[in-house]
Amino acid sequence: MDKNEILKLIRSRRSIRKFREQNIPEETVFEILEAGIWAPSGLNNQPWRFIIIKDRDLRDKISRLTKYSRIITAADFCIAVFYNKPAGYDRDKDLMAIGSCIQNMLLYSHSAGIGSVWLGEILKNKQEIHGVFEIDESCEFMALLAFGIPDEAPSSARSDISSMMLKPSL
Amino acid sequence: MDKNEILKLIRSRRSIRKFREQNIPEETVFEILEAGIWAPSGLNNQPWRFIIIKDRDLRDKISRLTKYSRIITAADFCIAVFYNKPAGYDRDKDLMAIGSCIQNMLLYSHSAGIGSVWLGEILKNKQEIHGVFEIDESCEFMALLAFGIPDEAPSSARSDISSMMLKPSL
């Protein structure tokens, strides 16, 4: 694969918050998860766990736990991402691995023409989410990803690389 | 970009710990960082900071802080990734964003034929690393990435997706 193509993909991915009413095949949902699980993790401990959420009633219930409820109800499906604490060995490293896993899912879905957004504000109601899913204490809710066919094309921006360097090259 | 190509790229990326003695152009190093900074972050806070490490003496110094010293000395260059705490708003979310940024860098470098490995064990000597780089308390060392032309083709494995599902699809 051409490196320019992947850089283009990475740069053109956006957080999509408006979706068309269009069904995404279940096969594609599992391809997105497949992309996720090939992320690296410390000691290859794969500390992520997932729930695919398609059911309307369940989404309504979850959507009441965030101010971004309209994104969740408008999405075709959501993936809830959890930290499987018994598989973990270092919280910082495990959370970075989960971030890596999420990025794979966002990038893959973007390449498949599917828009997505990584929702974090809903974590304020982590305990309520655990309750809705009847999750025991071993797993901790870490992110909600909403997916659907994009109905917007937002722009985004990043700071210059130079401002991100702690030191000049050493 | 074809979704099968990105899935192939994601699945074929490996942690590369043996490198050939071959120079990677500085331009490519900055392309890798460019891929990194286009990761998503909560509130687009971009909580990552970087140091590019090419200097041999400096790498020798760092390599003494980990049992994986040979990887660091054999690499063509390393990128140290830091958490910029003043930019942060939620440690969990910020660390996942940094993981997402790292994954972009690993994927892009793989597409460019460059091998890489994400080193975490060296975090046990976080304070010493801060000292080597003369970093103040605002930034926290989070990962060391080593890059070079691959001199090995290791295999890897992941658990079945089914074993990663907390619940069947809901």
Side-chain angles (χ1 to χ4, degrees):
Chain A
M1 203 183 106
D2 185 58
K3 69 191 180 91
N4 297 317
E5 288 295 307
I6 174 81
L7 194 53
K8 217 168 102 182
L9 185 81
I10 284 172
R11 288 190 55 141
S12 61
R13 184 207 53 79
R14 293 285 175 278
S15 293
I16 301 296
R17 298 175 175 86
K18 290 182 181 171
F19 304 105
R20 288 189 214 160
E21 273 195 50
Q22 198 175 322
N23 191 54
I24 294 165
E26 197 182 16
E27 191 191 330
T28 308
V29 180
F30 281 95
E31 286 164 7
I32 292 170
L33 288 169
E34 174 80 8
I37 65 169
W38 279 92
S41 54
L43 313 175
N44 196 18
N45 70 343
Q46 307 167 59
W48 39 72
R49 289 295 182 276
F50 313 101
I51 297 178
I52 303 166
I53 310 152
K54 186 98 182 172
D55 181 74
R56 288 247 149 244
D57 288 343
L58 187 62
R59 276 199 281 150
D60 283 347
K61 212 179 271 184
I62 294 165
S63 73
R64 287 192 285 269
L65 298 169
T66 165
K67 65 181 177 186
Y68 300 112
S69 54
R70 282 180 55 184
I71 299 172
I72 296 173
T73 52
D76 184 59
F77 67 95
C78 294
I79 295 177
V81 183
F82 296 82
Y83 174 29
N84 180 31
K85 291 188 279 186
Y89 80 116
D90 177 301
R91 188 178 174 93
D92 284 1
K93 294 176 194 173
D94 293 332
L95 292 192
M96 287 190 281
I98 288 171
S100 169
C101 164
I102 290 172
Q103 180 64 1
N104 274 2
M105 294 194 276
L106 303 183
L107 278 181
Y108 177 76
S109 60
H110 176 43
S111 79
I114 296 166
S116 64
V117 62
W118 177 349
L119 298 169
E121 186 256 2
I122 195 170
L123 293 187
K124 72 182 180 191
N125 289 318
K126 199 177 271 192
Q127 293 311 324
E128 288 80 356
I129 289 283
H130 294 177
V132 169
F133 290 120
E134 300 173 355
I135 298 300
D136 68 31
E137 288 300 305
S138 70
C139 280
E140 184 179 343
F141 178 56
M142 277 298 159
L144 189 71
L145 314 177
F147 297 87
I149 304 300
D151 198 25
E152 62 168 354
S155 62
S156 190
R158 293 295 183 275
S159 304
D160 278 351
I161 289 177
S162 58
S163 67
M164 293 292 145
M165 304 311 296
L166 265 187
K167 305 248 170 185
S169 298
L170 297 175
Chain B
M1 203 182 106
D2 186 59
K3 69 192 180 91
N4 296 317
E5 288 295 306
I6 174 81
L7 194 53
K8 216 169 104 183
L9 184 82
I10 284 172
R11 288 189 57 140
S12 61
R13 184 206 54 80
R14 293 285 174 278
S15 293
I16 300 296
R17 297 175 175 85
K18 291 181 180 171
F19 305 106
R20 289 190 213 158
E21 274 194 48
Q22 199 175 319
N23 190 54
I24 294 165
E26 197 183 16
E27 189 190 332
T28 308
V29 181
F30 281 96
E31 287 164 5
I32 292 170
L33 289 170
E34 174 80 7
I37 65 167
W38 279 92
S41 55
L43 313 177
N44 195 18
N45 70 343
Q46 307 167 59
W48 38 73
R49 288 294 183 277
F50 312 102
I51 297 178
I52 302 166
I53 311 153
K54 186 97 182 174
D55 181 75
R56 289 246 149 246
D57 289 344
L58 186 63
R59 276 200 280 152
D60 284 348
K61 210 178 274 185
I62 295 166
S63 73
R64 286 193 285 273
L65 297 170
T66 166
K67 64 181 179 187
Y68 299 114
S69 54
R70 283 180 53 183
I71 299 173
I72 295 172
T73 52
D76 183 59
F77 67 95
C78 294
I79 295 177
V81 183
F82 296 83
Y83 174 29
N84 180 33
K85 290 188 279 186
Y89 80 118
D90 176 301
R91 187 177 175 94
D92 285 359
K93 295 176 195 174
D94 293 333
L95 292 191
M96 288 189 280
I98 288 170
S100 169
C101 164
I102 289 172
Q103 179 64 0
N104 274 1
M105 293 195 277
L106 303 182
L107 279 181
Y108 178 76
S109 59
H110 176 44
S111 78
I114 296 166
S116 64
V117 61
W118 177 349
L119 299 168
E121 187 254 3
I122 194 170
L123 293 188
K124 72 183 179 192
N125 289 318
K126 198 176 275 194
Q127 293 311 323
E128 289 80 354
I129 289 282
H130 294 177
V132 169
F133 290 120
E134 301 172 356
I135 298 300
D136 67 33
E137 288 300 305
S138 70
C139 279
E140 184 178 344
F141 178 55
M142 277 297 156
L144 189 71
L145 312 177
F147 297 87
I149 304 300
D151 198 25
E152 63 169 353
S155 61
S156 189
R158 292 294 183 279
S159 305
D160 279 349
I161 289 176
S162 58
S163 68
M164 293 292 144
M165 304 310 296
L166 264 189
K167 306 251 169 183
S169 298
L170 297 176

